[in-house]
Amino acid sequence: EYPLVTLQDIQQVPDSLLGTDPPSPLNGDTVRVQGIVLVSTVIDPDTNRGIIISAGPSWTSYIQDPNGSLWGGINIIQQDTTPAAQGTFFDLARLGNLIEVTGVVFEYNTTTEIKLITSPQPIPISILNGDTVRPTPIELELSDLFTSTGGYNYDAEKYEGMMVKFH
């Protein structure tokens, strides 16, 4: 069985590296992680299998720490959605479900993601609680994403994958 880690274990940048965008310390590791689903993967698993977040034929969603803690969000992706790989049941994850997933931590460009395991045997997600509420969005100003000179503010990485609201 793979280790159960927190979203912060995957995402948090050590103080000595704040202001930079290093890869996850768990990059390449296979882990289990839990979080609240921020968006369903498909419109309706029974009647409309249209993908909500476009990532080609992949299923993708975001999960967030139920406590809304910083460094507490991540993108989950299942690249293989063929019938043989649908044993992950990721398409059944609904908005507000508290789920546990097993996957490989990896960097896509500069975004940390978890790629679900579909081969040689799909590892199913677990729905731990089907009736939770999405965390309250973190309120930000658009200027929080940029430095005073207009460059990208790497300190905003602590919000990666989390529900935010700009005002």
Side-chain angles (χ1 to χ4, degrees), residues 4 31-35 63 74 76 90 99-103 114 116 123-126:
L4 178 62
V31 299
R32 294 179 301 130
V33 68
Q34 299 175 356
I63 62 171
I74 198 163
I76 308 294
F90 188 43
I99 65 171
E100 180 175 303
V101 301
T102 302
I114 294 179
L116 295 185
I123 297 178
I125 69 164
S126 297

Side-chain angles (χ1 to χ4, degrees), residues 114-136:
I114 294 179
K115 187 184 318 178
L116 295 185
I117 295 172
T118 57
S119 178
Q121 180 81 19
I123 297 178
I125 69 164
S126 297
I127 298 176
L128 306 174
N129 187 334
D131 192 23
T132 60
V133 177
R134 279 192 304 193
T136 303

Side-chain angles (χ1 to χ4, degrees), residues 1-7 9-10 25-34 99-105 114 117 123:
E1 189 162 293
Y2 299 104
L4 178 62
V5 300
T6 68
L7 290 163
D9 292 336
I10 297 169
L26 300 180
N27 191 33
D29 291 354
T30 301
V31 299
R32 294 179 301 130
V33 68
Q34 299 175 356
I99 65 171
E100 180 175 303
V101 301
T102 302
V104 178
V105 178
I114 294 179
I117 295 172
I123 297 178

Side-chain angles (χ1 to χ4, degrees), residues 16-68:
S16 62
L17 295 176
L18 286 176
T20 67
D21 189 17
S24 168
L26 300 180
N27 191 33
D29 291 354
T30 301
V31 299
R32 294 179 301 130
V33 68
Q34 299 175 356
I36 294 178
V37 176
L38 298 181
V39 62
S40 301
T41 56
V42 297
I43 295 168
D44 184 291
D46 296 320
T47 62
N48 185 343
R49 302 202 39 90
I51 296 170
I52 293 179
I53 299 176
S54 180
S58 302
W59 291 331
T60 188
S61 183
Y62 289 85
I63 62 171
Q64 184 171 326
D65 183 306
N67 301 318

Side-chain angles (χ1 to χ4, degrees), residues 72-162:
I74 198 163
N75 183 38
I76 308 294
I77 189 163
Q78 180 173 330
Q79 294 175 318
D80 182 357
T81 58
T82 61
Q86 291 183 16
T88 63
F89 304 112
F90 188 43
D91 57 320
L92 303 180
R94 310 305 299 156
L95 168 70
N97 288 165
L98 176 62
I99 65 171
E100 180 175 303
V101 301
T102 302
V104 178
V105 178
F106 78 105
E107 299 291 326
Y108 178 75
N109 295 326
T110 62
T111 302
T112 306
E113 301 181 342
I114 294 179
K115 187 184 318 178
L116 295 185
I117 295 172
T118 57
S119 178
Q121 180 81 19
I123 297 178
I125 69 164
S126 297
I127 298 176
L128 306 174
N129 187 334
D131 192 23
T132 60
V133 177
R134 279 192 304 193
T136 303
I138 296 170
E139 294 195 20
L140 299 174
E141 299 286 338
L142 195 54
S143 59
D144 292 331
L145 303 180
F146 301 96
T147 64
S148 59
T149 59
Y152 178 69
N153 179 6
Y154 288 104
D155 291 340
E157 288 291 317
K158 61 187 164 212
Y159 307 117
E160 181 180 277
M162 298 184 73

